[in-house]
Amino acid sequence: MMATKIIPPAEGAYAYPLLIKQLLLSGVRYEPGREIVYADKLRYSYQTLNQRIRRLANALTAAGVKAGDTVALLDWDSHRYLECFFAVPMIGAVLHTVNIRLSPEQVLYTMNHAEDDLVLVHDDFLPLVEQIQGRLTTVKGFMRLTDDAPVDTCLPMVGEYESALEEASDQYAFPDFDENSVATLFYTTGTTGDPKGVYFTHRQLVLHTLNAVGTLGVYQGQPLLRSDDVYMPITPMFHVHAWGVPYVATLMGIKQVYPGRYEPNSLVRLYREEKVTFSHCVPTILQMILNCEEGKATRFDGWKMLLGGSALTLGIASEASAKGMVVHAGYGMSETCPLLCLTYLRDEDLALPGEAQLPIRIKTGTPVPMVDLKIIDANGDDVAHDGESLGEIVVRAPWLTQGYLKDKEKGAELWHNGWLHTGDMASIDALGCVEIKDRIKDVIKTGGEWISSLELESLISEHPAVMSVAVVGIVDEQWGERPMAMVVCEPGQYLDRKLLEVHLQAFVDGGRINKWAIPKQFKFVAEIPKTSVGKINKKLIRESEAG
Ligand code: AMP
């Protein structure tokens, strides 16, 4: 350690550990009457939110939860989820946000691996939990979350959420503790093996939140989230804390709308009725919103939409922007809490007409403050900042998971040489804008050349009759691999292989791609397989093509 100057604190000086409870202080101060809305079921004020968080802390304590315990939550996006984001870590316990879209066996694996103590379960997930209950090894009790009339269950319930809150006191003195205590935990499904647990501490979540307040709020061209905005998440709260935005919105005292189960038509109705101005989602969900019945009949003027989780194609971005939506791209992953990069628009970009801004808006973006990001080649050296040279993105930031829960080996792989390895292949230009070309494992290797499946998807999506597209590499005796495109056609439109070949040939003629990039095979399907968080499931597509 270097001999820096450390001045001992004055007697009685207070060190102020960074704790989630502090994120709650300001929202209610600024906007005690602002609303938290749960679909078409409930609305209450920030004052009530704060009260209910204290009641929940008492209810959890009465149910036997202690500091260091783990509380699992299975719910749709709701006001209760928001309350748990705060109350569980604020009593020193860990919130396990269970991915309810995993298979029952995977949910079982994650709950046993996380060593869950108490399980909060919405009625809709009772059948799932009943199915695995006999094999849950650490769970001591269940508390039910009910929207409608309660249904029968064989699970040993310690109570019902709403009545437990009603009975509990609304006073709770939240204690201070070490800011490095784990606050949240959830699982990410890789391409192989069991789901891996990533975890975040109070300090990390506080720093991520403060950073996101600034990053989303102050830069020119992208004030995505100001205190007078209306926020509705469309990335599930079980997945990386809905990208951490509920914490940001609560700190700012913003009106928040929790949509319950995602159903595209209801999302559009909520957007209209609650006057939502900011949301975030993965591109496949955006597409569902644009194409559902209500979506087709609605203009989305001024709806600021942050797209992340996978690359945004020009096709979807144009469709959204033609309907008035303002699109931005963000980049991150489960392991990174998630915020790493965001669209950044300079004066000259903003001076361009809307359509001409889209190629900039769909790029992966510029690393946000506090994120140290490099793109390295196979030798570990930085690639040239020329917008073309490819390498792996590696990062450091204050909010990255420090490993995988109970898996030293995979944790050390993730953190090889002191940098978190993302597994994403990208280029970076002279101005520092990153562009992801592929996941390392999704890149298509054809006769010594690399083809970016993401770039091909974006080019194919520009054909007006294409609704969605996924490109994967399939084995080819001569070339090693050749691209295969799975395409969903816009309703009422016609498409065939020839039409898409002609469309792509124009990009070959223009020098944008080489002729080997034209897929060897086009498959026209009604739906593209998706992962548990709604992204294109390339692993499954590859497997089914190989099989
Ligand atoms: P997950 O851990 O499920 O959130 O997935 C993270 C992965 O999604 C990243 O490693 C990227 O491969 C991909 N991803 C996230 N954001 C973007 C983006 N803006 N563009 C391209 N890929 C992205």
Side-chain angles (χ1 to χ4, degrees):
M1 277 290 183
M2 277 199 306
T4 53
K5 185 167 191 166
I6 307 272
I7 301 177
E11 203 181 314
Y14 184 66
Y16 206 81
L18 300 180
L19 297 173
I20 283 176
K21 68 175 178 176
Q22 293 134 5
L23 301 178
L24 258 188
L25 295 175
S26 50
V28 67
R29 239 180 241 156
Y30 292 139
E31 296 291 347
R34 275 254 167 91
E35 284 179 322
I36 310 289
V37 180
Y38 175 39
D40 55 358
K41 300 181 193 324
L42 181 76
R43 58 183 67 231
Y44 61 61
S45 67
Y46 265 68
Q47 229 158 10
T48 307
L49 171 71
N50 277 258
Q51 245 176 33
R52 284 176 59 95
I53 288 169
R54 293 192 293 268
R55 287 180 187 275
L56 176 56
N58 282 313
L60 292 170
T61 309
V65 179
K66 314 176 295 303
D69 283 356
T70 301
V71 176
L73 175 56
L74 293 89
D75 193 9
W76 305 115
D77 286 11
S78 68
H79 61 300
R80 294 175 296 244
Y81 224 120
L82 181 67
E83 290 158 10
C84 289
F85 267 16
F86 286 93
V88 174
M90 280 164 65
I91 62 172
V94 178
L95 177 67
H96 172 196
T97 59
V98 178
N99 181 343
I100 35 112
R101 302 231 178 86
L102 295 179
S103 69
E105 283 306 310
Q106 283 179 312
V107 170
L108 173 71
Y109 172 85
T110 62
M111 292 178 72
N112 282 340
H113 190 267
E115 300 176 27
D116 293 337
D117 294 287
L118 178 72
V119 181
L120 308 186
V121 50
H122 184 279
D123 282 347
D124 286 354
F125 306 109
L126 287 175
L128 165 71
V129 178
E130 283 164 2
Q131 195 181 334
I132 59 176
Q133 183 218 351
R135 290 185 288 151
L136 287 170
T137 50
T138 58
V139 172
K140 300 174 190 77
F142 300 86
M143 185 181 281
R144 71 189 304 163
L145 318 178
T146 300
D147 281 329
D148 309 306
V151 291
D152 286 339
T153 177
C154 59
L155 295 177
M157 289 290 167
V158 297
E160 185 272 321
Y161 189 92
E162 210 46 54
S163 357
L165 258 63
E166 246 165 58
E167 283 159 22
S169 151
D170 64 2
Q171 296 304 309
Y172 195 107
F174 290 103
D176 277 1
F177 43 78
D178 190 330
E179 63 183 17
N180 295 307
S181 309
V182 175
T184 59
L185 161 70
F186 60 90
Y187 285 77
T188 166
T189 43
T191 43
T192 50
D194 290 319
K196 300 188 290 267
V198 294
Y199 48 92
F200 300 95
T201 64
H202 282 252
R203 173 187 163 81
Q204 290 182 312
L205 286 166
V206 169
L207 291 175
H208 185 270
T209 305
L210 294 176
N211 190 275
V213 169
T215 305
L216 298 175
V218 301
Y219 291 101
Q220 67 174 10
Q222 59 182 17
L224 286 174
L225 198 57
R226 294 280 175 97
S227 57
D228 56 352
D229 270 303
V230 177
Y231 164 60
M232 176 169 76
I234 318 183
T235 311
M237 296 174 91
F238 66 73
H239 184 59
V240 213
H241 333 103
W243 297 354
V245 185
Y247 286 122
V248 179
T250 307
L251 177 137
M252 294 170 83
I254 288 172
K255 175 177 170 184
Q256 305 180 49
V257 181
Y258 288 94
R261 182 188 194 137
Y262 292 174
E263 196 286 308
N265 289 297
S266 344
L267 293 171
V268 175
R269 274 194 296 275
L270 281 171
Y271 154 76
R272 274 200 316 254
E273 283 160 18
E274 300 299 336
K275 304 192 170 32
V276 173
T277 58
F278 174 65
S279 294
H280 46 78
C281 65
V282 295
T284 44
I285 303 267
L286 172 58
Q287 198 153 40
M288 284 161 65
I289 290 173
L290 294 171
N291 290 314
C292 71
E293 217 166 294
E294 294 270 359
K296 283 191 186 134
T298 306
R299 279 206 50 91
F300 297 117
D301 292 295
W303 194 3
K304 295 169 280 184
M305 189 65 79
L306 177 61
L307 280 311
S310 38
L312 177 59
T313 62
L314 199 52
I316 305 182
S318 308
E319 216 180 304
S321 138
K323 297 206 78 178
M325 215 179 251
V326 186
V327 297
H328 291 248
Y331 163 56
M333 56 198 302
S334 302
E335 286 82 346
T336 64
C337 201
L339 192 53
L340 294 176
C341 292
L342 208 67
T343 303
Y344 185 79
L345 296 154
R346 295 187 174 80
D347 291 344
E348 56 273 29
D349 305 325
L350 289 165
L352 295 169
E355 191 69 14
Q357 290 181 13
L358 290 180
I360 306 160
R361 289 179 180 272
I362 66 168
K363 283 195 183 179
T364 313
T366 304
V368 303
M370 306 288 288
V371 168
D372 195 358
L373 180 148
K374 300 198 290 186
I375 301 189
I376 56 168
D377 62 20
N379 300 322
D381 297 324
D382 282 25
V383 300
H385 287 209
D386 56 8
E388 288 192 357
S389 308
L390 288 185
E392 184 182 9
I393 301 178
V394 297
V395 283
R396 286 176 172 168
W399 43 78
L400 313 183
T401 189
Q402 295 294 289
Y404 290 116
L405 187 70
K406 301 195 281 192
D407 192 339
K408 278 197 175 144
E409 212 171 292
K410 293 232 168 62
E413 254 171 54
L414 179 73
W415 275 104
H416 180 63
N417 277 343
W419 289 82
L420 186 145
H421 288 246
T422 63
D424 289 315
M425 301 250 304
S427 64
I428 185 162
D429 66 19
L431 291 170
C433 182
V434 174
E435 194 172 359
I436 293 185
K437 301 289 184 174
D438 237 325
R439 292 290 296 160
I440 287 180
K441 59 188 178 299
D442 290 340
V443 78
I444 302 164
K445 289 147 212 135
T446 184
E449 300 261 0
W450 284 11
I451 295 175
S452 155
S453 65
L454 298 183
E455 188 176 8
L456 253 186
E457 284 164 8
S458 194
L459 296 180
I460 295 173
S461 79
E462 287 182 44
H463 191 291
V466 170
M467 185 156 102
S468 53
V469 52
V471 172
V472 298
I474 51 167
V475 176
D476 180 276
E477 273 184 18
Q478 191 177 0
W479 301 105
E481 273 185 337
R482 287 287 306 278
M484 190 281 284
M486 197 173 252
V487 178
V488 181
C489 195
E490 287 282 1
Q493 302 259 20
Y494 177 75
L495 259 185
D496 62 19
R497 177 198 175 100
K498 263 259 106 34
L499 287 170
L500 285 177
E501 279 178 354
V502 170
H503 169 71
L504 287 176
Q505 187 60 43
F507 296 111
V508 176
D509 296 342
R512 181 89 182 263
I513 47 174
N514 75 33
K515 64 179 176 183
W516 312 119
I518 295 187
K520 179 184 172 173
Q521 213 181 310
F522 289 94
K523 215 169 189 177
F524 297 94
V525 294
E527 208 180 329
I528 291 174
K530 308 271 175 8
T531 66
S532 67
V533 289
K535 301 195 208 180
I536 292 173
N537 193 337
K538 294 204 173 175
K539 181 191 161 208
L540 201 71
I541 299 174
R542 268 194 300 265
E543 277 170 5
S544 63
E545 289 310 304

Short mmCIF file of all heavy atoms in Angstrom, two decimals, residues 390-433:
data_model
loop_
_atom_site.label_atom_id
_atom_site.label_comp_id
_atom_site.label_asym_id
_atom_site.label_seq_id
_atom_site.Cartn_x
_atom_site.Cartn_y
_atom_site.Cartn_z
N LEU A 390 -11.71 -5.68 -33.65
CA LEU A 390 -12.58 -6.37 -32.71
C LEU A 390 -11.80 -6.97 -31.54
O LEU A 390 -10.67 -7.43 -31.70
CB LEU A 390 -13.30 -7.52 -33.42
CG LEU A 390 -14.39 -7.16 -34.39
CD1 LEU A 390 -15.08 -8.41 -34.91
CD2 LEU A 390 -15.41 -6.25 -33.70
N GLY A 391 -12.42 -6.98 -30.39
CA GLY A 391 -11.84 -7.64 -29.23
C GLY A 391 -12.92 -7.86 -28.19
O GLY A 391 -14.10 -7.54 -28.43
N GLU A 392 -12.52 -8.39 -27.04
CA GLU A 392 -13.51 -8.64 -25.99
C GLU A 392 -13.62 -7.42 -25.06
O GLU A 392 -12.60 -6.81 -24.71
CB GLU A 392 -13.11 -9.86 -25.14
CG GLU A 392 -14.18 -10.18 -24.10
CD GLU A 392 -13.85 -11.35 -23.18
OE1 GLU A 392 -12.70 -11.85 -23.21
OE2 GLU A 392 -14.75 -11.74 -22.41
N ILE A 393 -14.83 -7.10 -24.67
CA ILE A 393 -15.03 -6.01 -23.70
C ILE A 393 -14.68 -6.53 -22.31
O ILE A 393 -15.21 -7.56 -21.87
CB ILE A 393 -16.49 -5.53 -23.68
CG1 ILE A 393 -16.92 -5.03 -25.06
CG2 ILE A 393 -16.69 -4.45 -22.62
CD1 ILE A 393 -18.38 -4.59 -25.12
N VAL A 394 -13.77 -5.83 -21.63
CA VAL A 394 -13.50 -6.13 -20.22
C VAL A 394 -13.73 -4.84 -19.43
O VAL A 394 -13.51 -3.74 -19.94
CB VAL A 394 -12.06 -6.68 -20.00
CG1 VAL A 394 -11.88 -8.01 -20.71
CG2 VAL A 394 -11.00 -5.68 -20.40
N VAL A 395 -14.21 -4.98 -18.19
CA VAL A 395 -14.60 -3.77 -17.44
C VAL A 395 -14.19 -3.82 -15.97
O VAL A 395 -14.01 -4.90 -15.39
CB VAL A 395 -16.14 -3.54 -17.48
CG1 VAL A 395 -16.57 -2.96 -18.79
CG2 VAL A 395 -16.92 -4.78 -17.16
N ARG A 396 -14.13 -2.62 -15.42
CA ARG A 396 -14.06 -2.42 -13.97
C ARG A 396 -15.03 -1.30 -13.63
O ARG A 396 -15.15 -0.33 -14.38
CB ARG A 396 -12.66 -1.97 -13.55
CG ARG A 396 -11.63 -3.08 -13.58
CD ARG A 396 -10.27 -2.52 -13.24
NE ARG A 396 -9.31 -3.58 -13.08
CZ ARG A 396 -7.99 -3.39 -13.01
NH1 ARG A 396 -7.49 -2.17 -13.10
NH2 ARG A 396 -7.19 -4.40 -12.84
N ALA A 397 -15.73 -1.45 -12.55
CA ALA A 397 -16.65 -0.41 -12.08
C ALA A 397 -16.96 -0.74 -10.62
O ALA A 397 -16.74 -1.88 -10.19
CB ALA A 397 -17.92 -0.40 -12.91
N PRO A 398 -17.50 0.24 -9.88
CA PRO A 398 -17.73 -0.05 -8.45
C PRO A 398 -18.86 -1.03 -8.20
O PRO A 398 -19.06 -1.44 -7.08
CB PRO A 398 -18.10 1.32 -7.87
CG PRO A 398 -17.75 2.33 -8.89
CD PRO A 398 -17.77 1.64 -10.21
N TRP A 399 -19.67 -1.37 -9.25
CA TRP A 399 -20.88 -2.14 -8.97
C TRP A 399 -20.92 -3.50 -9.67
O TRP A 399 -22.00 -3.98 -10.02
CB TRP A 399 -22.12 -1.32 -9.33
CG TRP A 399 -21.99 -0.58 -10.62
CD1 TRP A 399 -22.13 -1.11 -11.87
CD2 TRP A 399 -21.70 0.80 -10.79
NE1 TRP A 399 -21.94 -0.15 -12.81
CE2 TRP A 399 -21.68 1.05 -12.18
CE3 TRP A 399 -21.45 1.87 -9.92
CZ2 TRP A 399 -21.41 2.31 -12.70
CZ3 TRP A 399 -21.18 3.11 -10.46
CH2 TRP A 399 -21.16 3.33 -11.82
N LEU A 400 -19.77 -4.11 -9.90
CA LEU A 400 -19.77 -5.41 -10.58
C LEU A 400 -19.78 -6.54 -9.56
O LEU A 400 -19.13 -6.43 -8.52
CB LEU A 400 -18.52 -5.53 -11.46
CG LEU A 400 -18.21 -4.31 -12.35
CD1 LEU A 400 -17.00 -4.59 -13.22
CD2 LEU A 400 -19.42 -3.94 -13.21
N THR A 401 -20.51 -7.62 -9.88
CA THR A 401 -20.53 -8.75 -8.93
C THR A 401 -19.08 -9.19 -8.69
O THR A 401 -18.26 -9.21 -9.61
CB THR A 401 -21.38 -9.94 -9.45
OG1 THR A 401 -21.52 -10.89 -8.41
CG2 THR A 401 -20.78 -10.63 -10.67
N GLN A 402 -18.78 -9.51 -7.47
CA GLN A 402 -17.40 -9.85 -7.14
C GLN A 402 -17.12 -11.33 -7.33
O GLN A 402 -16.05 -11.84 -6.96
CB GLN A 402 -17.08 -9.40 -5.71
CG GLN A 402 -17.12 -7.88 -5.55
CD GLN A 402 -16.04 -7.17 -6.35
OE1 GLN A 402 -14.86 -7.23 -6.01
NE2 GLN A 402 -16.44 -6.49 -7.41
N GLY A 403 -18.07 -12.06 -7.90
CA GLY A 403 -17.86 -13.47 -8.18
C GLY A 403 -19.21 -14.11 -8.44
O GLY A 403 -20.23 -13.42 -8.53
N TYR A 404 -19.21 -15.44 -8.59
CA TYR A 404 -20.47 -16.17 -8.66
C TYR A 404 -20.64 -16.88 -7.33
O TYR A 404 -19.67 -17.43 -6.78
CB TYR A 404 -20.43 -17.20 -9.80
CG TYR A 404 -20.45 -16.58 -11.18
CD1 TYR A 404 -19.37 -16.74 -12.05
CD2 TYR A 404 -21.55 -15.85 -11.61
CE1 TYR A 404 -19.39 -16.19 -13.32
CE2 TYR A 404 -21.58 -15.29 -12.88
CZ TYR A 404 -20.50 -15.46 -13.73
OH TYR A 404 -20.52 -14.90 -14.98
N LEU A 405 -21.85 -16.86 -6.81
CA LEU A 405 -22.09 -17.42 -5.48
C LEU A 405 -21.65 -18.89 -5.40
O LEU A 405 -22.07 -19.70 -6.23
CB LEU A 405 -23.59 -17.31 -5.16
CG LEU A 405 -23.97 -17.69 -3.73
CD1 LEU A 405 -23.47 -16.67 -2.74
CD2 LEU A 405 -25.49 -17.85 -3.62
N LYS A 406 -20.81 -19.18 -4.44
CA LYS A 406 -20.34 -20.54 -4.16
C LYS A 406 -19.74 -21.23 -5.40
O LYS A 406 -19.93 -22.41 -5.61
CB LYS A 406 -21.50 -21.39 -3.60
CG LYS A 406 -22.08 -20.82 -2.30
CD LYS A 406 -22.95 -21.81 -1.57
CE LYS A 406 -24.31 -21.93 -2.14
NZ LYS A 406 -25.27 -22.65 -1.30
N ASP A 407 -19.10 -20.46 -6.26
CA ASP A 407 -18.45 -21.06 -7.43
C ASP A 407 -17.15 -20.29 -7.72
O ASP A 407 -17.11 -19.39 -8.56
CB ASP A 407 -19.39 -21.02 -8.64
CG ASP A 407 -18.86 -21.89 -9.78
OD1 ASP A 407 -17.65 -22.17 -9.82
OD2 ASP A 407 -19.67 -22.27 -10.64
N LYS A 408 -16.10 -20.70 -6.98
CA LYS A 408 -14.82 -19.98 -7.06
C LYS A 408 -14.24 -20.01 -8.47
O LYS A 408 -13.70 -19.02 -8.96
CB LYS A 408 -13.82 -20.63 -6.11
CG LYS A 408 -13.98 -20.17 -4.69
CD LYS A 408 -12.75 -20.50 -3.90
CE LYS A 408 -12.89 -19.92 -2.52
NZ LYS A 408 -12.32 -20.74 -1.48
N GLU A 409 -14.36 -21.19 -9.08
CA GLU A 409 -13.71 -21.37 -10.38
C GLU A 409 -14.31 -20.44 -11.44
O GLU A 409 -13.58 -19.73 -12.14
CB GLU A 409 -13.92 -22.82 -10.80
CG GLU A 409 -12.79 -23.38 -11.62
CD GLU A 409 -13.01 -24.86 -11.78
OE1 GLU A 409 -12.91 -25.62 -10.77
OE2 GLU A 409 -13.35 -25.25 -12.91
N LYS A 410 -15.62 -20.44 -11.52
CA LYS A 410 -16.28 -19.58 -12.53
C LYS A 410 -16.07 -18.10 -12.20
O LYS A 410 -15.90 -17.27 -13.10
CB LYS A 410 -17.77 -19.90 -12.60
CG LYS A 410 -18.07 -21.28 -13.14
CD LYS A 410 -19.06 -21.20 -14.28
CE LYS A 410 -19.17 -22.49 -15.05
NZ LYS A 410 -19.66 -23.63 -14.25
N GLY A 411 -16.03 -17.80 -10.90
CA GLY A 411 -15.79 -16.42 -10.48
C GLY A 411 -14.40 -15.96 -10.93
O GLY A 411 -14.22 -14.85 -11.44
N ALA A 412 -13.41 -16.85 -10.77
CA ALA A 412 -12.05 -16.49 -11.16
C ALA A 412 -11.94 -16.35 -12.68
O ALA A 412 -11.20 -15.50 -13.18
CB ALA A 412 -11.06 -17.55 -10.66
N GLU A 413 -12.70 -17.16 -13.40
CA GLU A 413 -12.72 -17.03 -14.88
C GLU A 413 -13.30 -15.67 -15.27
O GLU A 413 -12.77 -14.98 -16.13
CB GLU A 413 -13.66 -18.08 -15.46
CG GLU A 413 -12.99 -19.24 -16.15
CD GLU A 413 -14.04 -20.30 -16.47
OE1 GLU A 413 -15.06 -19.97 -17.12
OE2 GLU A 413 -13.85 -21.44 -16.03
N LEU A 414 -14.40 -15.32 -14.61
CA LEU A 414 -15.05 -14.04 -14.90
C LEU A 414 -14.09 -12.88 -14.67
O LEU A 414 -14.05 -11.92 -15.43
CB LEU A 414 -16.29 -13.89 -14.01
CG LEU A 414 -17.10 -12.62 -14.13
CD1 LEU A 414 -17.90 -12.62 -15.44
CD2 LEU A 414 -18.07 -12.44 -12.95
N TRP A 415 -13.29 -13.00 -13.60
CA TRP A 415 -12.42 -11.91 -13.17
C TRP A 415 -10.95 -12.13 -13.56
O TRP A 415 -10.06 -11.57 -12.94
CB TRP A 415 -12.53 -11.74 -11.66
CG TRP A 415 -13.68 -10.86 -11.29
CD1 TRP A 415 -14.88 -11.27 -10.79
CD2 TRP A 415 -13.77 -9.44 -11.43
NE1 TRP A 415 -15.70 -10.21 -10.59
CE2 TRP A 415 -15.04 -9.07 -10.97
CE3 TRP A 415 -12.91 -8.45 -11.89
CZ2 TRP A 415 -15.47 -7.74 -10.96
CZ3 TRP A 415 -13.33 -7.14 -11.88
CH2 TRP A 415 -14.61 -6.80 -11.42
N HIS A 416 -10.73 -12.89 -14.62
CA HIS A 416 -9.37 -13.19 -15.07
C HIS A 416 -8.54 -11.89 -15.18
O HIS A 416 -8.97 -10.93 -15.83
CB HIS A 416 -9.47 -13.90 -16.42
CG HIS A 416 -8.16 -14.27 -17.00
ND1 HIS A 416 -7.30 -15.15 -16.38
CD2 HIS A 416 -7.54 -13.86 -18.13
CE1 HIS A 416 -6.21 -15.27 -17.11
NE2 HIS A 416 -6.32 -14.49 -18.17
N ASN A 417 -7.38 -11.87 -14.54
CA ASN A 417 -6.47 -10.71 -14.59
C ASN A 417 -7.04 -9.42 -14.01
O ASN A 417 -6.65 -8.32 -14.40
CB ASN A 417 -6.04 -10.41 -16.04
CG ASN A 417 -4.89 -11.29 -16.44
OD1 ASN A 417 -4.23 -11.86 -15.57
ND2 ASN A 417 -4.65 -11.41 -17.73
N GLY A 418 -8.02 -9.54 -13.14
CA GLY A 418 -8.52 -8.34 -12.46
C GLY A 418 -9.50 -7.51 -13.27
O GLY A 418 -9.86 -6.40 -12.87
N TRP A 419 -9.94 -8.02 -14.41
CA TRP A 419 -10.96 -7.32 -15.21
C TRP A 419 -12.14 -8.26 -15.40
O TRP A 419 -11.95 -9.46 -15.62
CB TRP A 419 -10.41 -6.93 -16.59
CG TRP A 419 -9.40 -5.83 -16.52
CD1 TRP A 419 -8.08 -5.96 -16.20
CD2 TRP A 419 -9.65 -4.44 -16.74
NE1 TRP A 419 -7.48 -4.72 -16.21
CE2 TRP A 419 -8.41 -3.77 -16.55
CE3 TRP A 419 -10.76 -3.69 -17.09
CZ2 TRP A 419 -8.28 -2.39 -16.69
CZ3 TRP A 419 -10.64 -2.32 -17.24
CH2 TRP A 419 -9.39 -1.68 -17.04
N LEU A 420 -13.34 -7.74 -15.33
CA LEU A 420 -14.51 -8.59 -15.57
C LEU A 420 -14.65 -8.81 -17.08
O LEU A 420 -14.74 -7.86 -17.85
CB LEU A 420 -15.78 -7.96 -15.00
CG LEU A 420 -17.03 -8.84 -15.08
CD1 LEU A 420 -17.92 -8.62 -13.85
CD2 LEU A 420 -17.85 -8.59 -16.35
N HIS A 421 -14.62 -10.08 -17.45
CA HIS A 421 -14.69 -10.45 -18.87
C HIS A 421 -16.14 -10.65 -19.28
O HIS A 421 -16.82 -11.54 -18.76
CB HIS A 421 -13.86 -11.70 -19.13
CG HIS A 421 -12.39 -11.43 -19.06
ND1 HIS A 421 -11.55 -11.52 -20.14
CD2 HIS A 421 -11.62 -11.00 -18.03
CE1 HIS A 421 -10.33 -11.17 -19.78
NE2 HIS A 421 -10.34 -10.86 -18.50
N THR A 422 -16.59 -9.83 -20.23
CA THR A 422 -18.02 -9.84 -20.57
C THR A 422 -18.39 -10.94 -21.57
O THR A 422 -19.56 -11.28 -21.69
CB THR A 422 -18.44 -8.49 -21.19
OG1 THR A 422 -17.71 -8.32 -22.41
CG2 THR A 422 -18.17 -7.33 -20.26
N GLY A 423 -17.41 -11.42 -22.35
CA GLY A 423 -17.75 -12.38 -23.40
C GLY A 423 -18.39 -11.71 -24.60
O GLY A 423 -18.89 -12.39 -25.49
N ASP A 424 -18.35 -10.38 -24.65
CA ASP A 424 -18.91 -9.65 -25.79
C ASP A 424 -17.79 -9.15 -26.68
O ASP A 424 -16.81 -8.58 -26.21
CB ASP A 424 -19.74 -8.46 -25.30
CG ASP A 424 -21.02 -8.91 -24.63
OD1 ASP A 424 -21.69 -9.79 -25.20
OD2 ASP A 424 -21.35 -8.39 -23.54
N MET A 425 -17.97 -9.34 -27.99
CA MET A 425 -16.98 -8.87 -28.97
C MET A 425 -17.46 -7.53 -29.49
O MET A 425 -18.60 -7.40 -29.91
CB MET A 425 -16.96 -9.81 -30.17
CG MET A 425 -16.62 -11.22 -29.84
SD MET A 425 -15.03 -11.59 -30.47
CE MET A 425 -15.23 -11.19 -32.17
N ALA A 426 -16.54 -6.57 -29.49
CA ALA A 426 -16.96 -5.23 -29.89
C ALA A 426 -15.81 -4.46 -30.50
O ALA A 426 -14.64 -4.86 -30.39
CB ALA A 426 -17.49 -4.48 -28.67
N SER A 427 -16.16 -3.33 -31.12
CA SER A 427 -15.15 -2.37 -31.56
C SER A 427 -15.40 -1.07 -30.80
O SER A 427 -16.46 -0.91 -30.18
CB SER A 427 -15.28 -2.12 -33.07
OG SER A 427 -16.53 -1.51 -33.32
N ILE A 428 -14.44 -0.19 -30.85
CA ILE A 428 -14.61 1.12 -30.20
C ILE A 428 -14.04 2.17 -31.16
O ILE A 428 -12.99 1.94 -31.77
CB ILE A 428 -13.94 1.13 -28.80
CG1 ILE A 428 -14.21 2.45 -28.08
CG2 ILE A 428 -12.44 0.84 -28.86
CD1 ILE A 428 -13.96 2.37 -26.56
N ASP A 429 -14.75 3.29 -31.32
CA ASP A 429 -14.25 4.27 -32.29
C ASP A 429 -13.41 5.33 -31.59
O ASP A 429 -13.22 5.29 -30.36
CB ASP A 429 -15.40 4.86 -33.12
CG ASP A 429 -16.36 5.70 -32.28
OD1 ASP A 429 -15.98 6.12 -31.16
OD2 ASP A 429 -17.49 5.93 -32.75
N ALA A 430 -12.91 6.27 -32.40
CA ALA A 430 -11.97 7.27 -31.87
C ALA A 430 -12.63 8.13 -30.79
O ALA A 430 -11.96 8.67 -29.91
CB ALA A 430 -11.48 8.14 -33.01
N LEU A 431 -13.97 8.24 -30.82
CA LEU A 431 -14.67 9.05 -29.82
C LEU A 431 -15.09 8.23 -28.60
O LEU A 431 -15.76 8.72 -27.71
CB LEU A 431 -15.91 9.69 -30.45
CG LEU A 431 -15.63 10.77 -31.49
CD1 LEU A 431 -16.91 11.16 -32.23
CD2 LEU A 431 -15.02 12.00 -30.83
N GLY A 432 -14.74 6.95 -28.61
CA GLY A 432 -15.02 6.12 -27.42
C GLY A 432 -16.38 5.43 -27.46
O GLY A 432 -16.82 4.90 -26.45
N CYS A 433 -17.04 5.44 -28.63
CA CYS A 433 -18.34 4.77 -28.70
C CYS A 433 -18.13 3.28 -29.01
O CYS A 433 -17.40 2.92 -29.93
CB CYS A 433 -19.22 5.42 -29.76
SG CYS A 433 -20.84 4.67 -29.85
#
